[in-house]
Amino acid sequence: MVAVIGEWKFGKKKKGDEVEGGTPGTTKTTMTTTTAETKGGSDDGTVLIEDLWWTLRKFLDVGYTLLGNFQDLDHANVTYDPARLLPYQRRIWEWRSDFMTFVETNGAEASTDDTLGGDNVGDLKGKGVDENDGGGYVNVQTIYHNARKELRSFLDELDLFGGFLLPGTSVIPEIARAGHSYAALVSANDLDIDEEIRQRIDRAIHSLSTMKTMLGDLHDDQVAYSIYNDWNVHSEDSVLRTSVETKWKDFRSWANEVDIFATIDFLRDSLHTDESLSSEGKEEGKEKEEKAGDLESFLIDHRYNPTNHVVLGNDAGDADSIVSAITLAYIESMNSTGHDCSTPIVSISKDTFIHERPETNLLFQLAGIKDNVAEKLLFIEDLQEILEKNAKGGLCPGPSVSLVDHNTLSDSLLRFQDDLIVTEILDHHEDEHKYEETCFGDRRIIAFDDGHVLVASTTTLVAERLRLQKIPHPYPASIGTLLLGVILLDSINLDESIGKVTERDRVAVDDLLANTDWNAAVQSSHIRMDETGTITVNSNALFDTLQLAKYDPKYWDELPALRALASDYKHFGDDEARNESEFGISSILMSGEDFMKKEDFEKATLEFMHTSQIFLLGIIFVFYDELGVLLKQIAFISSDVNFPLCEFVDSFLVSDEYKNVDLQLIEVPHLTRTDQSELLQIRLFDQENLTPSRKQIGPMLEDYFDTRIL
């Protein structure tokens, strides 16, 4: 089951290592199964495996192939000397060494004796295994079978005792069904249990019943498979093997969906009514809940009681802007009180946050804020009300502001510039040298120098602030999850080949992994227990989960073109006076060709450019191809019939400004429109150099406009 999670040692093998089978030159047989099951390998040879049973079968499959090929040497009519034989022997020796390491490691792991109601209900891998049986692998299926037995025993006891065993359940106990009054029995406990908790208990019991049934069906098929395999009835055992693997994947998917760890934990805690459900224990329970969800409490408090200092991201409002604002405000408030605390504001509308930020919403869920995230936050439309309240309270000229992920107020906020005092900046964009009289020294951190970004993410700067802040260690799991998730997203999982990650990003990630209280983290696929029993994080799994949500093709296919253009847009040019050098750049996570196929593409693009009051729109397309390779494209679009886009782009591509950045653009000719009589002129290019992002492309175009007269 999903509880069988750990780091299993494969000798010196690493993730993706392969064991060759067959004669030299034949296809290699991999030791692993799927990418999802093996991601998270480290340099010391550790491979994260979610499915012990599956891994065992793969080991045996590889061994069968190697030994079979070795045996074929004896049967075949070939002559060989010891030197030719040695490679075949070496493969078998390496396989045997790795397999015995696997057996010894998991045999030791499987010798523990936990119980379903013990302190670590998530760790069921020791169920029913005799530590003297010579290896835990023999009894792998017993682990799951005995877990089902314990579930069945618990459910049978619940059926017998009902509310006596688990106050709050609607299960009528056998003693009541025999003629006694169940209502009287419940009232005898003198409990004041919330109806919401009662319903949650019933849902959890239903999940346990489902789990018992699914494990039972799985076990029955596995037993039948083993018997047919012993009898060499291959027509039957192949069918059953497929059935076992299918049911196992279905079970894992279901268990992850219902969060079975949390379900079992909740029921275990619910057994102790004096501590969790009774009126006497409610205050203590409330304190525990507030401690576990301290970030959530912080957000709710500031949602209804904003302070005189706000933290605000840029108007594109991506995950970096949103999370850096929230985490910086939280960190600064840990050592402050009252109006010295910071209030985070999400720099986009509530509607945009809900419908256009799937990866950010998911990240908040992984950080422990699962229900109605948007109801716990302040959004850009709330800033007006905050300013009015401050004015009524005599707090003039208004609140002070920390800017994160940008260093100058956006156009939409210029009307508030006389009411806001910028006193702090944490950013990684080119410095526009604003507010230097009120924001300087260590309150002005801009990680951008000589055209180069010094960190992949603003959250890296927040993580650095966290490391220097005088707060108790370890860091809260909610903060660690948010910061780690965004740094991984913005650095493309610390991938050196993309060119975004810096040493400061790596240091920040290492610090978060080492110093966050992961024991308090929400149970999810990225949370792991290593062989020492320490809870840690599989950063690969966390990145994959968030990246999948961010680049979800279905989401981008269904997103209207107008919302896609506005979802991550930045305006460039003179903020104080509209002129012919103003332009904007949108970032869209799908291919340019697919975006232009949208039914409303042309109409939406015209409307967006008119509303934004720009004559030139750049769109950076970032997407993955069918092989999982990250690609980039950039489109230049004009709606001005008097603007010669074709000549402009040709001139730009030979300019010194372009050569200094060198995007390595290759035109996609079949999508080019250069006729000025058309509603839109378009030139689309593949961007071979993936490193430059909008942080470099925007200022590059600004510099080009400064030296050109159109």
Side-chain angles (χ1 to χ4, degrees):
M1 66 180 277
V2 289
V4 184
I5 297 175
E7 291 184 351
W8 310 100
K9 296 284 187 178
F10 285 7
K12 295 182 179 180
K13 300 291 182 194
K14 297 187 180 78
K15 180 188 73 167
D17 278 0
E18 297 173 329
V19 177
E20 293 182 296
T23 57
T26 58
T27 303
K28 295 181 178 181
T29 305
T30 60
M31 291 293 288
T32 56
T33 54
T34 66
T35 302
E37 289 167 341
T38 58
K39 285 195 172 182
S42 63
D43 291 337
D44 65 359
T46 298
V47 181
L48 294 175
I49 299 296
E50 294 183 354
D51 187 343
L52 181 59
W53 192 352
W54 183 288
T55 307
L56 172 63
R57 290 203 307 275
K58 285 297 176 182
F59 254 119
L60 297 178
D61 287 346
V62 172
Y64 179 86
T65 302
L66 288 173
L67 292 170
N69 289 330
F70 190 75
Q71 185 184 36
D72 289 342
L73 293 176
D74 182 61
H75 296 167
N77 295 320
V78 296
T79 302
Y80 52 84
D81 56 29
R84 292 183 181 277
L85 182 64
L86 185 59
Y88 294 91
Q89 293 174 315
R90 183 179 291 115
R91 291 170 197 141
I92 293 174
W93 292 335
E94 290 176 348
W95 173 83
R96 182 187 183 281
S97 175
D98 289 343
F99 182 60
M100 293 311 298
T101 300
F102 170 80
V103 169
E104 292 167 5
T105 301
N106 296 300
E109 289 286 345
S111 64
T112 59
D113 184 23
D114 295 328
T115 61
L116 186 62
D119 292 334
N120 187 10
V121 298
D123 185 1
L124 300 176
K125 55 181 173 286
K127 301 296 178 290
V129 178
D130 184 353
E131 62 183 344
N132 299 315
D133 67 6
Y137 73 94
V138 175
N139 286 305
V140 168
Q141 73 179 85
T142 305
I143 296 171
Y144 312 104
H145 184 51
N146 283 1
R148 176 180 173 265
K149 285 182 179 178
E150 293 186 1
L151 288 171
R152 184 172 60 190
S153 296
F154 174 77
L155 292 170
D156 287 346
E157 291 168 1
L158 183 63
D159 184 62
L160 180 63
F161 297 108
F164 283 120
L165 177 66
L166 186 61
T169 178
S170 64
V171 177
I172 300 177
E174 185 176 299
I175 187 171
R177 294 199 300 269
H180 298 275
S181 170
Y182 182 57
L185 294 173
V186 173
S187 63
N189 288 299
D190 193 25
L191 294 174
D192 178 19
I193 301 174
D194 294 336
E195 182 59 30
E196 182 178 346
I197 294 179
R198 291 184 187 275
Q199 294 176 4
R200 186 178 174 189
I201 288 173
D202 288 342
R203 288 194 300 269
I205 293 170
H206 176 73
S207 294
L208 288 195
S209 298
T210 302
M211 181 178 173
K212 179 193 72 171
T213 301
M214 295 178 78
L215 286 177
D217 291 344
L218 180 63
H219 175 73
D220 291 344
D221 276 4
Q222 174 62 22
V223 170
Y225 164 73
S226 300
I227 293 173
Y228 279 121
N229 193 48
D230 290 341
W231 293 349
N232 291 320
V233 183
H234 298 301
S235 61
E236 295 290 343
D237 71 10
S238 62
V239 173
L240 284 165
R241 175 172 181 163
T242 301
S243 176
V244 168
E245 293 176 354
T246 300
K247 288 182 178 179
W248 178 243
K249 289 180 179 179
D250 290 344
F251 171 75
R252 288 179 60 190
S253 176
W254 169 85
N256 195 45
E257 180 181 340
V258 302
D259 199 351
I260 202 65
F261 283 169
T263 298
I264 296 175
D265 276 333
F266 170 71
L267 284 178
R268 180 194 61 186
D269 293 340
S270 298
L271 295 171
H272 308 289
T273 58
D274 58 324
E275 296 179 2
S276 58
L277 299 181
S278 66
S279 55
E280 292 85 354
K282 277 190 174 181
E283 287 304 315
E284 182 180 352
K286 182 178 179 182
E287 291 175 5
K288 289 181 179 179
E289 182 179 350
E290 289 177 351
K291 183 177 181 181
D294 48 4
L295 174 62
E296 185 168 3
S297 300
F298 167 82
L299 293 175
I300 293 173
D301 180 50
H302 284 256
R303 170 72 178 86
Y304 295 102
N305 301 287
T307 62
N308 201 38
H309 183 86
V310 298
V311 187
L312 184 66
N314 68 46
D315 54 354
D318 61 0
D320 190 18
S321 277
I322 295 171
V323 169
S324 57
I326 288 172
T327 52
L328 180 64
Y330 178 86
I331 291 167
E332 292 185 336
S333 297
M334 292 182 76
N335 288 331
S336 305
T337 58
H339 279 279
D340 292 330
C341 293
S342 300
T343 296
I345 295 180
V346 177
S347 53
I348 51 177
S349 70
K350 183 177 181 179
D351 178 73
T352 300
F353 175 81
I354 293 172
H355 295 104
E356 298 178 16
R357 297 296 182 270
E359 77 283 2
T360 309
N361 277 275
L362 175 59
L363 181 56
F364 276 107
Q365 293 177 33
L366 296 177
I369 306 176
K370 290 191 173 184
D371 300 322
N372 299 320
V373 177
E375 300 304 321
K376 301 174 176 67
L377 302 172
L378 285 167
F379 295 91
I380 194 66
E381 58 263 33
D382 298 313
L383 182 58
Q384 176 74 50
E385 184 178 351
I386 293 173
L387 293 174
E388 290 176 354
K389 285 184 177 180
N390 283 334
K392 290 179 180 178
L395 298 174
C396 295
S400 57
V401 180
S402 292
L403 299 181
V404 294
D405 203 22
H406 66 316
N407 57 75
T408 186
L409 290 170
S410 63
D411 284 355
S412 61
L413 295 179
L414 288 180
R415 58 195 174 103
F416 297 132
Q417 61 183 344
D418 294 335
D419 301 316
L420 300 171
I421 304 173
V422 177
T423 59
E424 181 181 29
I425 294 174
L426 258 70
D427 186 30
H428 62 150
H429 296 82
E430 186 173 22
D431 192 352
E432 298 188 37
H433 301 288
K434 302 282 186 68
Y435 325 115
E436 291 180 330
E437 67 281 1
T438 58
C439 178
F440 47 84
D442 60 4
R443 299 287 290 177
R444 188 184 187 92
I445 306 298
I446 300 180
F448 191 99
D449 183 54
D450 194 23
H452 297 287
V453 180
L454 305 183
V455 293
S457 177
T458 308
T459 48
T460 295
L461 304 177
V462 179
E464 291 176 344
R465 179 72 60 84
L466 175 64
R467 189 165 70 250
L468 297 174
Q469 197 88 341
K470 294 180 180 179
I471 61 173
H473 281 55
Y475 310 141
S478 54
I479 298 300
T481 300
L482 290 175
L483 292 174
L484 179 62
V486 178
I487 295 174
L488 293 176
L489 276 175
D490 286 353
S491 66
I492 318 298
N493 203 21
L494 307 181
D495 189 341
E496 297 282 354
S497 66
I498 304 300
K500 286 193 171 187
V501 66
T502 71
E503 181 61 23
R504 290 169 70 175
D505 301 310
R506 286 188 288 269
V507 170
V509 167
D510 289 343
D511 179 64
L512 290 169
L513 290 173
N515 295 309
T516 298
D517 182 15
W518 298 116
N519 289 286
V522 173
Q523 289 287 357
S524 188
S525 59
H526 67 283
I527 300 298
R528 297 285 188 266
M529 179 185 293
D530 66 20
E531 58 188 10
T532 67
T534 302
I535 301 296
T536 185
V537 171
N538 180 348
S539 56
N540 289 330
L542 176 58
F543 170 76
D544 286 346
T545 299
L546 296 172
Q547 192 80 331
L548 181 62
K550 182 177 180 179
Y551 285 84
D552 182 7
K554 184 174 184 295
Y555 166 79
W556 285 99
D557 285 343
E558 295 177 353
L559 189 67
L562 188 60
R563 294 197 80 136
L565 288 167
S567 66
D568 189 357
Y569 170 78
K570 183 171 177 56
H571 185 87
F572 293 88
D574 191 340
D575 290 333
E576 297 178 354
R578 293 284 175 186
N579 58 52
E580 67 277 6
S581 67
E582 285 199 282
F583 64 97
I585 301 179
S586 293
S587 180
I588 294 176
L589 305 185
M590 64 190 306
S591 73
E593 185 169 8
D594 287 340
F595 179 70
M596 293 178 194
K597 288 179 182 177
K598 287 180 178 287
E599 291 183 3
D600 60 337
F601 159 67
E602 192 164 282
K603 178 182 178 182
T605 303
L606 286 167
E607 180 182 343
F608 182 77
M609 294 180 70
H610 176 73
T611 303
S612 303
Q613 299 183 45
I614 55 175
F615 78 101
L616 178 68
L617 172 65
I619 306 178
I620 297 174
F621 299 102
V622 188
F623 57 99
Y624 287 88
D625 67 10
E626 294 178 353
L627 299 178
V629 178
L630 185 69
L631 301 175
K632 278 189 176 183
Q633 294 177 322
I634 184 168
F636 299 96
I637 301 176
S638 175
S639 60
D640 187 346
V641 296
N642 297 314
F643 178 70
L645 179 68
C646 188
E647 291 83 350
F648 164 78
V649 173
D650 287 342
S651 175
F652 168 66
L653 293 179
V654 297
S655 68
D656 291 337
E657 291 80 9
Y658 174 79
K659 291 177 182 178
N660 289 335
V661 178
D662 188 16
L663 302 179
Q664 298 177 22
L665 298 183
I666 300 176
E667 190 154 16
V668 184
H670 71 280
L671 292 176
T672 292
R673 302 184 194 174
T674 57
D675 188 344
Q676 289 180 233
S677 65
E678 295 192 50
L679 290 176
L680 292 177
Q681 301 173 62
I682 302 170
R683 293 189 71 176
L684 177 68
F685 298 83
D686 290 326
Q687 182 181 325
E688 296 292 298
N689 181 4
L690 301 181
T691 301
S693 66
R694 187 168 57 190
K695 296 179 183 67
Q696 292 82 32
I697 296 173
M700 173 185 63
L701 282 168
E702 284 185 314
D703 291 342
Y704 175 73
F705 277 121
D706 287 344
T707 59
R708 297 294 185 277
I709 299 176
L710 298 178

